[in-house]
Amino acid sequence: MTITQHIKNPNILVYGETLIDEFPQQNVIGGAPFNVARTLSLFGARPLMVSRIGQDQNGTAILAECARTGLSAEGIQIDAQHTSGRVVVELASASNTDCIEGGEGTEGIEGIEGTTTTHRFHILGDQAYDYIDAQLVTTLMEKYYQDAPPDLIYFGSLIQRNETSQASLMALLEADITEGASKFLDLNLRDGQASLETIISSLNYCDMVKLNEDELAYVIQHACPAVAGTAIKDDEVGLRLACEAVMAEYYMQAIIVTLGARGYFYLDANGICLHSLDQSPAAIEIVDTVGAGDAFAAVFIYGWQSNWPIEKTLTAAHRFATTICGVRGAVAESKTFYQDALQAFEQMPV
């Protein structure tokens, strides 16, 4: 099977940071939204990435990665004053037996064997992605979405730390031209990078949210007044009660909680509750856990847009997130990797 590029208008809009993760041994292109957009593109979807980079070597590398993965760079603005995003990463060791969800900003994620992977991310401030120009975004929207909005708009919290990019996002989410698009929030909280006001606003705008256990606990404690102070039990009953509280507060369609090595917990407005709590974690040799959560989000969006049954969508997302832990970086170098994954998705029972 061959993944072909489409010439139709992009029907998924990904808004957020593109950046360089500076690991001790190497630099890796990253940013959760960019990881999601690249993965979707490699699967043959039609995402449009909206971000901003500097006129520098890192910006050139980001544009080259767009070309390599077939991702349109039309929505990536060039900033003559600010540098491309940078994150300085410190890390320790990782378990080689169980896949753990990791990602930009993750700290102290413990595996089944008790080995801890520690990624400490120092996210530099005042970067190009903090200054996404609203007028340029509007022009792009008018070019592609006069007849119909994108199917889905993906956004997170880091991109909202600066009022310029936050205002551009709010204008996008509130625009008449994007009315009808589903809003997917990948919360991705980073220490000191998002205010409570931003978190509450984001939850109010989204139709679906993906967050991890720590983020769910934070939302329950600080953004759900009706249940503030309630401790979350990490079993099926406790997670369901917590998810129901968030959904009741923010009237969203679905909530996805990623559970590290235990997989996921899903609840939607129709009362469908699915999880992998009873499944044994897949054994895999861990190469790098960074980007596993982004891989999950990308496949969930791909399955949602492809009208897969929700059971298949979640299973495929979980399996792919596990698989991506076996390669270096959030996005594999080999395009065959994605062709093989698509074949495996197609062979899954409906």
Side-chain angles (χ1 to χ4, degrees), residues 94-110:
S95 166
N96 64 356
T97 56
D98 295 289
C99 182
I100 315 154
E101 185 201 1
E104 183 184 303
T106 303
E107 298 190 11
I109 306 174
E110 191 168 329

Side-chain angles (χ1 to χ4, degrees), residues 24 27 52 68 142 163 200 274:
N27 291 348
R52 192 172 177 94
R68 184 189 76 84
E142 291 174 348
E163 61 183 8
I200 291 173
L274 299 167

Side-chain angles (χ1 to χ4, degrees), residues 101 257-265 276 296 318:
E101 185 201 1
V257 184
T258 51
L259 304 172
R262 296 188 301 155
Y264 62 87
F265 189 92
S276 58
F296 187 104
H318 178 40

Side-chain angles (χ1 to χ4, degrees), residues 52-56 78-85 126-131:
R52 192 172 177 94
I53 59 175
Q55 292 180 326
D56 49 32
I78 307 298
D79 192 312
Q81 295 181 317
H82 302 93
T83 59
S84 298
D126 205 38
Q127 307 287 277
Y129 64 74
D130 291 315
Y131 297 93

Side-chain angles (χ1 to χ4, degrees), residues 24-65:
Q25 288 79 29
Q26 63 179 331
N27 291 348
V28 177
I29 297 172
F34 194 45
N35 294 339
V36 170
R38 289 185 288 164
T39 300
L40 284 166
S41 182
L42 285 163
F43 280 137
R46 306 197 307 276
L48 177 64
M49 181 76 210
V50 175
S51 190
R52 192 172 177 94
I53 59 175
Q55 292 180 326
D56 49 32
Q57 185 175 358
N58 286 339
T60 299
I62 289 168
L63 292 177
E65 179 65 1

